[in-house]
Amino acid sequence: MTAIAFNTELITQRGGNLCGEDELSVEACGACQGQYLFNAALNDVYYDSVDLSRHFFKIPAIDLPPCRYCGALQWQFACPAPELAQVQAGPWAWVLASRVFSFDGQS
């Protein structure tokens, strides 16, 4: 899997909480593949790609809120996480550091 580079400046400008040691990834609901931005350093999950004030903490033994895409009450992050092409086509495409897109089978 290709490493995804994130535009942390844009995330901060849009109200995201960053700590300087951020471990960002785009994760997906295991039930429906709906995407979320996750900062593993803070255990912070961004629930809405338009409104970064809507976030929650992913802490063991605490239930996640319902999936915003399919409404599942009991869900976990999918394994494996979405590929770069899926992120580029999803609601979190704006967090990517590069706007240069590559597609399978094309140079």
Side-chain angles (χ1 to χ4, degrees):
M1 180 175 170
T2 305
I4 297 177
F6 293 90
N7 185 333
T8 55
E9 183 176 325
L10 190 53
I11 293 169
T12 300
Q13 288 173 0
R14 292 191 178 192
N17 299 319
L18 299 177
C19 66
E21 300 295 325
D22 305 289
E23 298 173 33
L24 297 167
S25 62
V26 174
E27 302 292 339
C29 170
C32 71
Q33 299 302 305
Q35 295 178 5
Y36 298 88
L37 179 65
F38 179 54
N39 187 344
L42 300 174
N43 292 319
D44 204 356
V45 180
Y46 291 94
Y47 197 69
D48 186 338
S49 63
V50 176
D51 182 1
L52 296 185
S53 70
R54 297 186 68 200
H55 62 102
F56 58 90
F57 296 101
K58 186 176 187 300
I59 301 170
I62 295 179
D63 291 335
L64 302 177
C67 173
R68 93 176 237 115
Y69 300 96
C70 69
L73 297 177
Q74 300 292 321
W75 64 278
Q76 291 296 323
F77 289 157
C79 187
E83 296 282 336
L84 179 59
Q86 293 169 301
V87 175
Q88 291 169 334
W92 293 97
W94 66 266
V95 303
L96 301 175
S98 172
R99 296 294 179 166
V100 176
F101 298 106
S102 61
F103 299 94
D104 291 340
Q106 296 182 3
S107 314

